[in-house]
Amino acid sequence: MPTTAPTASHAHIVETLGRRIAGGTLAPGAGMTVAALEQEFSASRTVVREAVRVLEAHGLLRSRRRVGLVVRPREEWDSLDATVIEWSLDGPRRHDVLRELTELRAAVEPVAARLAAERADDTERELLLSWATRLNELGAQGLGDSEEYLEADIAYHSLLLRAGGNPLFGKLSEPIAEILRGRAVRGLTPSLPRVGTLEAHVATAQAIVERDGAGAEASAREHLTLVSGEVAHL
Protein backbone atom coordinates (compact mmCIF):
# COMPACT_ATOMS: atom_id res chain seq x y z
CA MET A 1 0.00 0.00 0.00
CA PRO A 2 1.21 3.54 -0.70
CA THR A 3 2.26 5.50 2.37
CA THR A 4 0.76 8.85 3.27
CA ALA A 5 3.06 11.83 3.90
CA PRO A 6 3.05 12.95 7.53
CA THR A 7 0.80 15.90 8.29
CA ALA A 8 1.98 18.68 10.62
CA SER A 9 -0.23 19.49 13.56
CA HIS A 10 -1.75 22.88 14.21
CA ALA A 11 0.53 23.29 17.28
CA HIS A 12 3.66 22.39 15.27
CA ILE A 13 2.88 25.02 12.64
CA VAL A 14 2.24 27.69 15.27
CA GLU A 15 5.48 26.84 17.08
CA THR A 16 7.59 26.70 13.92
CA LEU A 17 6.32 29.94 12.39
CA GLY A 18 6.25 31.72 15.74
CA ARG A 19 9.90 30.93 16.36
CA ARG A 20 10.86 31.93 12.83
CA ILE A 21 9.19 35.30 13.25
CA ALA A 22 10.35 36.00 16.82
CA GLY A 23 13.85 34.83 15.93
CA GLY A 24 14.08 37.06 12.86
CA THR A 25 14.25 34.31 10.23
CA LEU A 26 11.03 35.79 8.89
CA ALA A 27 11.58 39.55 9.06
CA PRO A 28 8.85 42.19 9.35
CA GLY A 29 7.22 42.65 5.97
CA ALA A 30 8.03 39.12 4.81
CA GLY A 31 5.15 37.52 2.97
CA MET A 32 3.80 34.01 2.59
CA THR A 33 0.65 32.32 1.39
CA VAL A 34 -1.66 29.77 2.95
CA ALA A 35 -1.12 27.55 -0.09
CA ALA A 36 2.65 27.62 0.39
CA LEU A 37 2.27 26.74 4.06
CA GLU A 38 -0.07 23.86 3.19
CA GLN A 39 2.62 22.47 0.92
CA GLU A 40 5.53 23.04 3.33
CA PHE A 41 3.81 21.41 6.30
CA SER A 42 1.78 18.83 4.34
CA ALA A 43 -1.25 20.16 6.19
CA SER A 44 -4.83 20.88 5.25
CA ARG A 45 -6.03 24.40 4.62
CA THR A 46 -8.17 24.19 7.74
CA VAL A 47 -5.19 23.32 9.97
CA VAL A 48 -3.02 26.05 8.43
CA ARG A 49 -5.74 28.68 8.83
CA GLU A 50 -6.20 27.71 12.49
CA ALA A 51 -2.46 28.17 13.05
CA VAL A 52 -2.52 31.50 11.24
CA ARG A 53 -5.36 32.73 13.45
CA VAL A 54 -3.28 31.99 16.56
CA LEU A 55 -0.31 33.89 15.15
CA GLU A 56 -2.58 36.77 14.18
CA ALA A 57 -3.88 36.86 17.76
CA HIS A 58 -0.27 37.16 18.97
CA GLY A 59 0.14 40.10 16.59
CA LEU A 60 2.81 38.35 14.53
CA LEU A 61 0.94 38.02 11.23
CA ARG A 62 -1.56 40.04 9.24
CA SER A 63 -3.74 38.76 6.39
CA ARG A 64 -3.87 41.11 3.41
CA ARG A 65 -6.13 40.72 0.42
CA ARG A 66 -4.27 39.89 -2.80
CA VAL A 67 -1.01 39.74 -0.84
CA GLY A 68 -1.46 36.85 1.57
CA LEU A 69 0.13 36.75 5.00
CA VAL A 70 2.61 39.41 6.09
CA VAL A 71 4.86 39.47 9.17
CA ARG A 72 3.95 42.47 11.29
CA PRO A 73 6.48 44.92 12.79
CA ARG A 74 7.78 43.93 16.20
CA GLU A 75 6.12 46.90 17.92
CA GLU A 76 2.74 45.44 16.93
CA TRP A 77 3.40 42.03 18.53
CA ASP A 78 1.75 41.00 21.78
CA SER A 79 5.19 41.21 23.39
CA LEU A 80 3.90 40.53 26.91
CA ASP A 81 2.37 37.21 25.92
CA ALA A 82 4.28 34.41 27.66
CA THR A 83 4.57 32.37 24.47
CA VAL A 84 5.97 35.30 22.47
CA ILE A 85 8.46 35.96 25.27
CA GLU A 86 9.57 32.32 25.19
CA TRP A 87 10.07 32.37 21.42
CA SER A 88 11.93 35.68 21.60
CA LEU A 89 14.30 34.44 24.31
CA ASP A 90 15.40 31.65 21.98
CA GLY A 91 16.27 34.10 19.22
CA PRO A 92 19.27 36.33 18.52
CA ARG A 93 17.63 39.28 20.31
CA ARG A 94 17.60 37.45 23.65
CA HIS A 95 19.71 40.04 25.46
CA ASP A 96 17.64 42.96 24.14
CA VAL A 97 14.41 41.21 25.13
CA LEU A 98 15.69 40.54 28.65
CA ARG A 99 16.83 44.16 28.98
CA GLU A 100 13.51 45.56 27.77
CA LEU A 101 11.46 43.35 30.06
CA THR A 102 13.72 44.12 33.02
CA GLU A 103 13.23 47.84 32.35
CA LEU A 104 9.49 47.22 32.45
CA ARG A 105 9.84 45.45 35.79
CA ALA A 106 11.91 48.33 37.14
CA ALA A 107 9.15 50.76 36.19
CA VAL A 108 6.31 48.71 37.68
CA GLU A 109 7.42 46.58 40.62
CA PRO A 110 8.54 49.41 42.95
CA VAL A 111 5.12 51.06 42.61
CA ALA A 112 3.45 47.67 43.08
CA ALA A 113 5.45 47.24 46.30
CA ARG A 114 4.27 50.61 47.60
CA LEU A 115 0.65 49.73 46.83
CA ALA A 116 1.07 46.36 48.51
CA ALA A 117 2.34 48.11 51.65
CA GLU A 118 -0.75 50.31 51.61
CA ARG A 119 -3.42 47.79 50.59
CA ALA A 120 -2.39 44.15 51.10
CA ASP A 121 -4.21 42.09 53.71
CA ASP A 122 -2.37 40.47 56.61
CA THR A 123 -2.17 37.06 54.94
CA GLU A 124 -0.58 38.53 51.81
CA ARG A 125 1.94 40.50 53.89
CA GLU A 126 3.05 37.47 55.84
CA LEU A 127 3.19 35.28 52.74
CA LEU A 128 5.38 37.82 50.92
CA LEU A 129 7.80 37.84 53.84
CA SER A 130 7.75 34.04 53.92
CA TRP A 131 8.64 33.78 50.23
CA ALA A 132 11.36 36.45 50.56
CA THR A 133 12.87 34.61 53.53
CA ARG A 134 12.82 31.35 51.57
CA LEU A 135 14.59 33.02 48.64
CA ASN A 136 17.22 34.35 51.05
CA GLU A 137 17.80 30.88 52.49
CA LEU A 138 18.07 29.17 49.11
CA GLY A 139 20.28 31.85 47.58
CA ALA A 140 22.64 31.77 50.57
CA GLN A 141 23.03 28.03 50.00
CA GLY A 142 24.07 28.60 46.38
CA LEU A 143 20.75 27.31 45.05
CA GLY A 144 19.79 30.40 43.06
CA ASP A 145 19.68 28.34 39.88
CA SER A 146 17.51 25.58 41.36
CA GLU A 147 13.91 24.71 40.52
CA GLU A 148 12.97 25.39 44.14
CA TYR A 149 14.40 28.91 43.97
CA LEU A 150 12.60 29.60 40.69
CA GLU A 151 9.28 28.46 42.17
CA ALA A 152 9.71 30.75 45.19
CA ASP A 153 10.86 33.67 43.01
CA ILE A 154 7.81 33.41 40.75
CA ALA A 155 5.48 33.11 43.76
CA TYR A 156 7.02 36.16 45.44
CA HIS A 157 6.91 38.46 42.43
CA SER A 158 3.45 37.32 41.32
CA LEU A 159 2.04 38.03 44.77
CA LEU A 160 3.85 41.37 44.93
CA LEU A 161 2.13 42.46 41.72
CA ARG A 162 -1.32 41.31 42.87
CA ALA A 163 -1.25 42.37 46.53
CA GLY A 164 -1.73 46.07 45.79
CA GLY A 165 -5.16 45.40 44.34
CA ASN A 166 -4.43 46.89 40.91
CA PRO A 167 -5.67 44.32 38.36
CA LEU A 168 -3.51 45.80 35.60
CA PHE A 169 -0.37 45.18 37.64
CA GLY A 170 -1.70 41.71 38.40
CA LYS A 171 -1.87 40.93 34.69
CA LEU A 172 1.88 41.45 34.47
CA SER A 173 2.50 38.50 36.78
CA GLU A 174 2.40 36.00 33.90
CA PRO A 175 4.94 37.75 31.61
CA ILE A 176 7.23 38.47 34.56
CA ALA A 177 7.00 34.81 35.58
CA GLU A 178 8.02 33.91 32.02
CA ILE A 179 11.02 36.25 32.26
CA LEU A 180 12.16 34.54 35.47
CA ARG A 181 11.48 31.08 34.03
CA GLY A 182 13.12 31.95 30.72
CA ARG A 183 16.36 33.02 32.40
CA ALA A 184 16.42 29.94 34.61
CA VAL A 185 15.81 27.29 31.95
CA ARG A 186 18.50 28.84 29.72
CA GLY A 187 21.10 28.77 32.49
CA LEU A 188 21.14 32.55 32.89
CA THR A 189 20.30 32.66 36.61
CA PRO A 190 23.36 32.54 38.91
CA SER A 191 23.60 29.93 41.64
CA LEU A 192 24.77 32.71 43.96
CA PRO A 193 22.49 35.73 43.39
CA ARG A 194 24.10 39.13 42.95
CA VAL A 195 25.13 40.64 46.28
CA GLY A 196 22.26 42.67 47.71
CA THR A 197 19.40 41.12 45.75
CA LEU A 198 18.38 38.70 48.48
CA GLU A 199 18.57 41.40 51.13
CA ALA A 200 16.46 43.70 48.96
CA HIS A 201 13.79 41.00 48.63
CA VAL A 202 13.56 40.67 52.40
CA ALA A 203 13.68 44.44 52.99
CA THR A 204 10.83 44.98 50.53
CA ALA A 205 8.68 42.31 52.16
CA GLN A 206 9.47 43.57 55.65
CA ALA A 207 8.49 47.11 54.67
CA ILE A 208 5.21 45.77 53.28
CA VAL A 209 4.53 43.94 56.55
CA GLU A 210 5.19 47.22 58.40
CA ARG A 211 2.95 49.16 55.98
CA ASP A 212 5.90 51.35 55.00
CA GLY A 213 5.07 52.32 51.42
CA ALA A 214 8.12 54.50 50.81
CA GLY A 215 10.45 51.85 52.24
CA ALA A 216 8.88 49.09 50.17
CA GLU A 217 9.17 51.12 46.98
CA ALA A 218 12.80 52.05 47.69
CA SER A 219 13.82 48.46 48.45
CA ALA A 220 12.05 47.09 45.38
CA ARG A 221 13.77 49.73 43.24
CA GLU A 222 17.14 48.74 44.72
CA HIS A 223 16.40 45.10 43.90
CA LEU A 224 15.54 45.86 40.27
CA THR A 225 18.64 48.05 39.91
CA LEU A 226 20.75 45.07 40.96
CA VAL A 227 18.83 42.74 38.61
CA SER A 228 19.40 45.21 35.75
CA GLY A 229 23.11 44.96 36.47
CA GLU A 230 22.91 41.17 36.31
CA VAL A 231 21.11 41.28 32.96
CA ALA A 232 23.62 43.78 31.53
CA HIS A 233 26.43 41.30 32.12
CA LEU A 234 24.76 38.20 30.68
Side-chain angles (χ1 to χ4, degrees):
M1 290 180 63
T3 58
T4 303
T7 299
S9 69
H10 153 266
H12 173 72
I13 298 172
V14 170
E15 183 84 6
T16 302
L17 292 180
R19 289 186 180 278
R20 286 179 188 173
I21 295 169
T25 303
L26 288 171
M32 64 198 83
T33 65
V34 170
L37 294 175
E38 289 175 42
Q39 184 173 10
E40 177 182 353
F41 292 102
S42 300
S44 70
R45 177 154 300 199
T46 298
V47 169
V48 170
R49 288 197 180 280
E50 287 176 356
V52 166
R53 278 195 288 271
V54 173
L55 294 168
E56 287 177 326
H58 287 319
L60 301 182
L61 284 179
R62 175 188 293 116
S63 297
R64 297 180 62 181
R65 182 172 296 184
R66 299 191 182 90
V67 175
L69 305 170
V70 178
V71 177
R72 296 172 68 173
R74 186 169 178 269
E75 56 269 21
E76 295 179 7
W77 299 357
D78 184 4
S79 298
L80 293 180
D81 179 84
T83 302
V84 176
I85 291 173
E86 179 191 355
W87 292 337
S88 298
L89 289 177
D90 281 335
R93 294 191 69 258
R94 172 190 292 173
H95 184 270
D96 289 337
V97 171
L98 281 172
R99 175 182 52 78
E100 292 162 1
L101 293 169
T102 302
E103 288 171 352
L104 175 65
R105 291 183 63 193
V108 171
E109 287 192 43
V111 178
R114 174 172 55 79
L115 294 178
E118 296 170 356
R119 303 173 182 172
D121 62 35
D122 290 342
T123 300
E124 290 170 328
R125 295 175 197 276
E126 293 301 328
L127 190 53
L128 274 168
L129 183 57
S130 176
W131 283 124
T133 301
R134 185 61 179 147
L135 287 168
N136 192 44
E137 293 169 349
L138 292 168
Q141 296 171 37
L143 297 173
D145 56 353
S146 68
E147 184 66 31
E148 194 174 3
Y149 185 95
L150 174 61
E151 179 184 347
D153 206 18
I154 290 174
Y156 171 85
H157 288 284
S158 295
L159 181 54
L160 180 70
L161 289 162
R162 298 194 311 269
N166 185 319
L168 299 181
F169 283 4
K171 284 190 174 293
L172 291 175
S173 61
E174 184 178 354
I176 288 178
E178 187 57 42
I179 298 167
L180 298 173
R181 187 179 298 108
R183 282 188 62 185
V185 301
R186 290 165 181 81
L188 302 175
T189 302
S191 58
L192 285 171
R194 190 179 181 93
V195 174
T197 55
L198 299 174
E199 294 83 354
H201 268 126
V202 175
T204 301
Q206 188 63 52
I208 291 171
V209 168
E210 296 171 358
R211 302 176 188 273
D212 177 5
E217 182 172 356
S219 295
R221 196 172 303 283
E222 178 184 359
H223 170 69
L224 266 301
T225 298
L226 292 168
V227 170
S228 297
E230 269 186 356
V231 170
H233 289 91
L234 290 177

